[in-house]
């Protein structure tokens, strides 16, 4: 697999993720980052349902695999692919938790947004290339264009 | 039958979205699939052959990820889906649940009193309620414990238990700010209770005037959300660590050595424990014990405050705690280092093959390899009076001082040869085997270690240790510079 050390995120995608994270607070939001895989560029995102309930949703998230599958079928027509996933950490740093790390599919970028009350505090991105390796942090390059 | 893989996993199957595979169960279909894509097998299964957490297996729309469903027969026109399971959690969880926080209320006086936290975005009302609901045990009401207990009481921790067997002595007052002149000879926990009462009357304070032992460790600590290890000796640290591991309580550890302090969080969220960092303590012969080892007086305030800060973070569930890390703070040169502390798979307490099943008392000397072997020739001890007499008579005798330089500066022992323990074997030629040789240290432990080291190196002369060390000679042997501490 091609070695990558950065991910670019369009202004639109960044806005979408921020809105999802702030709306969901104090719950965790989650969704998919869509774009072009070869140069790891996120063009837009789609928010999916956090399947956890109650207090669990304030400190975790889970996406229904069948929801991803249904979405993939629609996506094929748009010429985009899933390059990663995003979720928020309410009142917690934007770093991988042990549970995040355990469940990371290799090759998928993991974007994490830290929300402190009513604002985005930090955004970081991690990826595993091999399931046996530790994830590496990717440099996040924010786009300014629409 | 058909196997379809999510685009997120497709890279491992030659980017093909549909694969035609012969098989009549999930098991046989996956076996055939992975025979064709051996590289994908390494991705999908771990070294033990278990399907990795991020893959879910569906057959005809139903979740069949559990292995025991793989042998159920499937029809020829079945469709198997390999989908990613994307889930995760917050990096750190509060040690006090939201439910417990909701069950407490802040009254008007508390709202006024805790303004600093209530207006701090990271803590606010929810965090302050967690602090009020928290039950924290502090082992050691000495130097670190003073800073920790004061800080936690001021922060508004609802229940604080202080555990210490010791009483206040004048020499404690230089570092132990909980205690004052009127507390001399009182139990430290009684003095701590008075100090806490003076900060807040509404704190439930439990004073436990006893030492932590293997027998009482669990009953003393069980039911607490957090334990702060402010002890000053290795034995207590291992007992606290082991008891907290069995009770599932995180430990905020603090320690000091001269002008350097350390803080770490152990046993939190499956992270490293104290034994992952220090499987066994260093031999006491090589590290002066706390009573021999001084400390710069503001250091415990700094280190204890960092411990209390970690405690508040864990209680509220904010920030990044010192999990799997140890902060080392050198206050002389103002250098801080963050050491990575990996959880040790071979840890006898929390690793894969656990050999410790209960909190056990251990013989510290045995643990450090210092226990006297029964078959070993006993080490002769010389009474201080005997040594004083020989010195006064001018008898030919060699006295070797094995203390550290700063200890010798406090009290110089007359007419000694100074050889550090580490150099004894190499420098044994400096000793005359025809003369009696007496080894001296502060308490008589390191000198025994010295005699044993020299014997192992083949020294054949007559050796003694000074019984009770220099501590026992206070009123007998002379030549002091400054007062005795």
């Amino acid at each position: 697999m091609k070695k990558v050390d950065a991910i670019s995120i369009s202004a639109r995608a960044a806005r979408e993720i921020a809105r999802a994270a702030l709306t969901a607070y104090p719950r965790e939001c989650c969704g998919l980052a869509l774009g072009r895989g070869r140069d790891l560029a996120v063009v837009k995102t789609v928010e999916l349902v956090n399947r956890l309930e109650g207090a669990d949703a304030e400190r975790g998230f889970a996406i229904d695999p069948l929801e991803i599958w249904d979405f993939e079928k629609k996506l094929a027509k748009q010429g985009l692919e899933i390059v990663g996933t995003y979720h928020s950490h309410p009142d917690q740093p934007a770093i991988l938790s042990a549970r995040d790390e355990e469940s990371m599919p290799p090759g998928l970028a993991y974007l994490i947004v830290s929300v402190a009350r009513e604002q985005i505090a930090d955004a970081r991105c991690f990826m595993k290339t091999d399931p046996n390796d530790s994830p590496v942090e990717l440099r996040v390059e924010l786009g300014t264009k629409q | 039958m058909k196997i379809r893989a999510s685009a997120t996993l497709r890279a491992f199957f030659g980017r093909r979205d549909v694969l035609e595979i012969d098989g009549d169960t999930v098991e046989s279909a996956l076996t055939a699939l992975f025979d064709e894509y051996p590289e994908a097998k390494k991705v999908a299964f771990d070294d033990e052959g278990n399907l990795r957490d991020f893959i879910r297996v569906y057959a005809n729309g139903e979740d069949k990820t559990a292995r025991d469903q793989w042998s159920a027969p499937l029809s020829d026109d079945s469709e198997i889906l390999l989908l990613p399971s994307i889930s995760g959690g917050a990096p750190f969880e509060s040690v006090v649940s939201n439910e417990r926080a909701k069950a407490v209320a802040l009254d008007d006086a508390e709202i006024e009193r805790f303004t600093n936290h209530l207006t701090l975005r990271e803590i606010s009302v929810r965090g302050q309620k967690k602090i009020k609901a928290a039950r924290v045990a502090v082992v050691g009401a000495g130097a670190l414990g003073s800073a920790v207990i004061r800080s936690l009481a001021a922060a508004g921790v609802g229940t604080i238990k202080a555990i210490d067997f010791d009483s206040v002595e004048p020499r404690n007052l230089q570092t132990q700010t909980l205690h004052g002149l009127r507390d001399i000879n009182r139990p430290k926990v009684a003095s701590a209770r008075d100090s806490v009462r003076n900060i807040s009357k509404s704190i439930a304070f439990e004073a436990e005037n006893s030492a932590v032992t293997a027998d009482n460790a669990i009953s003393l600590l069980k039911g607490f959300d957090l334990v702060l290890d402010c002890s000053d000796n290795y034995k207590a640290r291992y007992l606290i660590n082991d008891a907290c591991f069995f009770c599932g309580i995180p430990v905020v550890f603090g320690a000091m050595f001269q002008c350097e302090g350390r803080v770490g969080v152990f046993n939190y969220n499956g992270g490293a424990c104290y034994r992952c960092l220090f499987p066994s303590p260093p031999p006491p012969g090589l590290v002066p014990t706390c009573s021999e080892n001084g400390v710069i007086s503001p250091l415990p305030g700094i280190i204890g405050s960092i411990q209390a800060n970690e405690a508040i973070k864990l209680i509220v569930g904010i920030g990044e705690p010192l999990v799997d890390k140890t902060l080392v703070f050198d206050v002389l040169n103002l250098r801080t280092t963050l050491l990575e502390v990996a959880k040790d798979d071979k840890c006898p307490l929390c690793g894969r093959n656990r050999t410790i099943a209960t909190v056990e008392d251990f013989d510290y000397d045995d643990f450090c390899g210092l226990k006297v072997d029964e078959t070993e020739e006993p080490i002769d001890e010389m009474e201080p009076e005997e040594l004083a007499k020989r010195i006064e008579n001018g008898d030919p005798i060699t006295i070797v001082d094995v203390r550290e330089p700063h200890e010798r500066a406090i009290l110089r022992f007359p007419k000694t040869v100074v050889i550090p323990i580490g150099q004894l074997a190499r420098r044994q030629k400096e000793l005359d085997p025809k003369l009696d040789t007496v080894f001296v240290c502060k308490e008589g432990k390191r000198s025994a270690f010295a005699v044993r080291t020299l014997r192992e190196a083949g020294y054949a002369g007559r050796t003694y240790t000074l019984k009770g060390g220099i501590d026992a000679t206070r009123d007998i042997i002379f030549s002091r510079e400054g007062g005795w501490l």
Side-chain angles (χ1 to χ4, degrees), chain B residues 76-281:
Chain B
D76 248 5
D77 57 351
S78 294
E79 184 181 69
I80 293 178
L81 290 177
L82 298 180
L83 302 181
S85 163
I86 300 176
S87 64
F92 310 111
E93 285 187 21
S94 161
V95 295
V96 177
S97 68
N98 290 336
E99 291 67 36
R100 278 173 57 199
K102 281 175 194 152
V104 301
L106 301 177
D107 62 30
D108 288 349
E110 285 170 322
I111 287 169
E112 189 184 345
R113 184 178 179 125
F114 298 134
T115 303
N116 278 297
H117 276 178
L118 298 178
T119 52
L120 182 66
R121 204 173 56 200
E122 282 76 7
I123 297 182
S124 70
V125 175
R126 188 167 68 159
Q128 189 61 43
K129 284 183 173 180
K130 284 187 175 181
I131 295 172
K132 187 176 177 181
R135 296 172 48 79
V136 179
V138 183
V139 185
L144 291 172
S146 285
V148 162
I149 291 168
R150 269 190 187 287
S151 188
L152 294 181
V157 171
T159 304
I160 300 174
K161 180 184 210 169
I163 304 164
D164 200 311
F165 66 92
D166 222 351
S167 296
V168 180
E169 295 176 45
R171 67 193 184 96
N172 297 146
L173 303 184
Q174 194 174 23
T175 53
Q176 307 188 6
T177 57
L178 272 181
H179 320 301
L181 278 174
R182 70 177 72 175
D183 301 313
I184 302 288
N185 295 329
R186 293 181 69 207
K188 288 182 179 177
V189 288
S191 161
R193 177 172 42 212
D194 292 351
S195 295
V196 168
R197 286 267 178 282
N198 202 26
I199 294 168
S200 167
K201 298 266 188 296
S202 59
I203 294 170
F205 186 85
E206 300 172 26
E208 181 65 47
N209 188 18
S210 53
V212 175
T213 66
D215 293 334
N216 69 14
I218 286 186
S219 63
L220 286 180
L221 303 176
K222 209 162 104 185
F224 283 83
D225 300 311
L226 202 56
V227 169
L228 283 93
D229 178 355
C230 300
S231 64
D232 65 351
N233 64 85
Y234 286 103
K235 184 171 176 172
R237 285 173 196 150
Y238 285 90
L239 289 172
I240 294 165
N241 179 67
D242 295 2
C244 287
F245 175 79
F246 292 122
C247 297
I249 307 171
V251 180
V252 183
F253 159 83
M256 300 176 294
F257 182 76
Q258 295 171 352
C259 298
E260 191 182 280
R262 283 168 182 252
V263 185
V265 174
F266 294 114
N267 191 33
Y268 175 68
N269 239 1
C273 80
Y274 184 69
R275 285 183 188 267
C276 295
L277 179 59
F278 299 113
S280 60

Side-chain angles (χ1 to χ4, degrees), chain A residues 1 25-26 28 32 38 52 55 58-66 68-69 72 81-82 85 87 89-100 102-108 110 116-119 121 124 129-132, chain B residues 4-12 15 17 42-47 52-54 56 58 61-62 79 81-94 97-99 102 121-124 126-127 269 317-320:
Chain A
M1 200 165 284
Y25 183 88
E28 290 197 12
L32 299 172
R38 281 185 198 287
L52 299 183
E58 293 178 16
R59 41 183 190 248
F61 78 98
I63 302 176
D64 181 354
L66 288 176
I68 298 177
W69 181 242
E72 273 185 34
E81 57 183 295
I82 299 168
T85 162
H87 71 277
H89 282 172
D91 300 318
Q92 298 260 353
I95 56 173
L96 287 172
S97 68
R99 269 158 68 201
D100 291 338
E102 278 163 23
S103 64
M104 278 178 100
L108 270 196
Y110 252 60
R117 300 291 136 176
E118 273 112 48
Q119 63 188 57
R124 292 167 73 173
T129 40
D130 183 293
N132 293 317
Chain B
R4 289 176 187 272
S6 159
T8 56
L9 304 171
R10 214 170 283 161
F12 307 109
R15 296 220 158 258
D17 59 344
K42 288 184 204 158
V43 174
F45 294 89
D46 65 17
D47 293 342
R52 292 191 199 266
D53 288 344
F54 63 79
R56 308 292 299 182
Y58 288 79
E62 279 176 41
E79 184 181 69
L81 290 177
L82 298 180
L83 302 181
S85 163
I86 300 176
S87 64
F92 310 111
E93 285 187 21
S94 161
S97 68
N98 290 336
E99 291 67 36
K102 281 175 194 152
R121 204 173 56 200
E122 282 76 7
I123 297 182
S124 70
R126 188 167 68 159
N269 239 1
I318 49 170
E320 197 174 335

Side-chain angles (χ1 to χ4, degrees), chain B residues 235 281-285 361-379 445-446 448-453 455-456:
Chain B
K235 184 171 176 172
D361 229 333
F362 56 84
D363 186 331
Y364 185 80
D365 288 347
D366 188 31
F367 199 58
C368 301
L370 280 193
K371 183 141 186 161
V372 179
D373 185 349
E374 298 292 322
T375 61
E376 187 192 46
E377 195 186 330
I379 293 171
K445 285 182 189 146
R446 280 176 291 170
F449 188 67
V451 168
R452 225 167 275 130
T453 305
R455 278 185 187 166
E456 276 173 27

